[in-house]
Amino acid sequence: MSYFGTVPDGRQNADPGAVAPLRLAPVGSAAAAARRYVADALHRLGHDDLIDSARLGVSELVTNACLHAASPCVVRVVPSGTTMRIEVSDDSSLVPVQSRRQGTAGTGRGLLLVEAAGRWGVDAR
């Protein structure tokens, strides 16, 4: 599947670097689909050096959206000069916060991993 040169309604876009968003249901395979989408997008945009970090980050964010928002989510890759912005949006009105878990906890460190791979933040829309 090609995500390039299209807008969400499927029409051709004048910007060949545009990446159509990926819509995902809150199911177990969502994170894997998001990883493939991000890797493909970054490869086609010539940013292979960002693929590993971006795959890790998007996997954590999509997993959080599926678990906590329990709603469909949308993944976007947004080229911005020499950097890339990976967005994951969901239908929840709650803002994600970093957990302060103990080092032996089995969960709750996802946003710490995202932060280690780059930066993260929240845009309320």
Side-chain angles (χ1 to χ4, degrees):
M1 172 183 246
S2 177
Y3 305 104
F4 291 83
T6 60
V7 290
D9 63 8
R11 292 178 294 142
Q12 287 302 99
N13 186 345
D15 180 2
V19 182
L22 176 65
R23 299 182 194 304
L24 297 166
V27 296
S29 61
R35 288 190 298 270
R36 287 190 302 273
Y37 164 79
V38 165
D40 180 51
L42 292 176
H43 174 72
R44 289 177 181 234
L45 292 168
H47 288 279
D48 288 342
D49 57 316
L50 301 176
I51 290 174
D52 289 340
S53 294
R55 285 173 50 118
L56 173 65
V58 78
S59 185
E60 291 295 333
L61 295 173
V62 167
T63 298
N64 282 352
C66 289
L67 288 175
H68 301 295
S71 72
C73 66
V74 177
V75 181
R76 291 177 186 82
V77 174
V78 182
S80 178
T82 59
T83 63
M84 293 289 138
R85 180 179 172 113
I86 311 296
E87 298 178 349
V88 177
S89 59
D90 59 47
D91 293 337
S92 176
S93 61
L94 299 176
V95 176
V97 294
Q98 264 186 11
S99 175
R100 300 289 178 224
R101 299 282 178 116
Q102 295 293 327
T104 58
T107 62
R109 292 189 289 272
L111 291 178
L112 290 172
L113 287 171
V114 171
E115 188 173 273
R119 293 185 307 174
W120 76 276
V122 177
D123 289 334
R125 294 183 190 187

